[in-house]
Amino acid sequence: MRVFSDISWLRAALSERADGNLRIGPDTPAAEKEKRESGRRTFLIQAGISGSLFTPFLTHSNRAGVVSDLPRPDLSKQSERAESFSATAQHYYIQDADALITSAKGAAIGVTVADCAPVFLADEKKKAIGAVHAGWRGLTTGILENTIAALEQAFGSAPADLRAWIGPCIGLCHFEVGGEVFEIFPPEVRRRTAAGLFVDLPLACRNALIFSGLLPEKITIDGNCTYCARDRFFSWRRDKPEDIQAMLAALAIAG
Ligand SMILES: [Zn+2]
C-alpha cells in the first residue's frame, strides 16, 4: 500500500500479508532474520524506497529516535546485528524506541505493526519525516506528541506544516480492552456496548495529532481494521501467533 503518493520527494508504503512477516526483533533467530531482511528488501524495492533501513526494536515506549544526516550509529556495536543488503544499503536496528525521525536522504525509517497503528509524518516545508508505532501504551504516554516535538527540535518543523497518515490498525469494531485501559482514554474515543469495552485507536491518534497542533485537513485515516481484513493484514489479536507476525511501514526521502 503506497502512502503520500502526491508528495514528489517522498516514498512511503505499508507492506501487506502477501509480503510476508517482516517483523525483526532482538529475539528473532538468525536464519529467520536473514529471510525477513530479504523480504524487507524485496518490499522496499517494490515500493521504490531505497537506501539503508533503520527500524527500532519496539517496546511500546514513548521514545522517538533521530536518524541524523550521518546515519552511522556506532558501527562497531551495530556491526554484529547489521546485515548487508548490498554494498550501498544496510540495515540498522535502533534499541528501545517506538518512533524514528529523519531529514537525511538515503535513510529509510520504519516500524512494524500488527494491530498497533503505523503513523507517518511528513513536513513538506522542511522535508523531514517520521515513522511511529502507536499502540495504546505509547499513545497514552505521548509517543505522537514526543515525535512531533522531536521534529520541531531537530528540524524546526512547525506542526501546522505536517501531513499525517494513520494506517491500518485494529479498529473500534475489534479493539476490546479491560476496564483499566478503557478508563485511560477520554470518552470521545471509547465505546461501551453489550459486547464489552472498546477503544477507537485511529481516532485517538488523530486527536493526539490535533492536540499537538496538526491541522485536521492534513490528517488521513486509512480506516482498514487489521482484524477484519484477514486477507490483507496480520493481526496479533486475531491470529495470536507464538511468533509475532507483522507488516513493515517505511518511508524515505527520495534522493
Ligand atoms: Zn475489525
Side-chain angles (χ1 to χ4, degrees):
M1 173 188 293
R2 296 284 183 98
V3 182
F4 288 147
S5 49
D6 61 313
I7 303 179
S8 62
W9 53 270
L10 192 58
R11 301 287 178 273
L14 172 71
S15 75
E16 300 194 19
R17 196 183 186 105
D19 298 301
N21 179 12
L22 301 186
R23 177 185 177 272
I24 295 173
D27 54 333
T28 306
E32 192 57 34
K33 181 164 168 269
E34 201 173 314
K35 190 176 143 200
R36 294 180 196 176
E37 285 187 337
S38 169
R40 285 182 169 196
R41 185 180 170 191
T42 302
F43 160 69
L44 292 173
I45 290 168
Q46 283 171 353
I49 299 172
S50 57
S52 298
L53 175 67
F54 294 76
T55 52
F57 287 148
L58 308 169
T59 57
H60 294 278
S61 73
N62 62 2
R63 284 181 289 277
V66 183
V67 175
S68 73
D69 285 328
L70 291 170
R72 300 288 177 270
D74 198 353
L75 278 175
S76 59
K77 283 185 187 167
Q78 292 284 336
S79 59
E80 286 171 27
R81 293 186 299 271
E83 302 287 332
S84 283
F85 272 7
S86 70
T88 54
Q90 299 217 318
H91 201 140
Y92 298 100
Y93 300 98
I94 311 296
Q95 302 291 329
D96 196 16
D98 282 75
L100 293 177
I101 63 168
T102 193
S103 66
K105 283 181 187 172
I109 52 175
V111 293
T112 52
V113 285
D115 286 346
C116 288
V119 179
F120 287 157
L121 297 164
D123 180 343
E124 294 192 86
K125 283 198 178 153
K126 304 281 187 186
K127 286 196 178 179
I129 54 176
V132 187
H133 164 254
W136 73 263
R137 279 194 194 86
L139 256 188
T140 54
T141 53
I143 183 69
L144 284 169
E145 292 87 339
N146 289 354
T147 307
I148 290 159
L151 280 164
E152 288 186 78
Q153 195 176 10
F155 310 121
S157 295
D161 291 333
L162 295 173
R163 294 261 305 268
W165 175 79
I166 301 162
C169 62
I170 192 159
L172 180 62
C173 43
H174 281 105
F175 191 26
E176 187 175 5
V177 298
E180 284 180 19
V181 174
F182 189 75
E183 291 301 326
I184 302 173
F185 285 92
E188 62 270 22
V189 301
R190 62 190 204 198
R191 192 172 301 168
R192 184 188 299 270
T193 74
L197 306 173
F198 296 85
V199 167
D200 190 331
L201 196 60
L203 185 59
C205 289
R206 184 176 184 273
N207 288 354
L209 294 169
I210 291 170
F211 179 80
S212 285
L214 270 74
L215 303 174
E217 63 268 27
K218 292 196 173 185
I219 302 171
T220 304
I221 294 179
D222 171 81
N224 273 294
C225 168
T226 43
Y227 195 116
C228 288
R230 179 184 293 272
D231 293 343
R232 292 186 68 187
F233 305 112
F234 295 116
S235 165
W236 185 81
R237 285 210 174 202
R238 182 193 61 220
D239 303 333
K240 294 191 173 57
E242 248 175 62
D243 183 25
I244 300 170
Q245 300 173 299
M247 288 83 71
L248 174 66
L251 73 173
I253 296 166

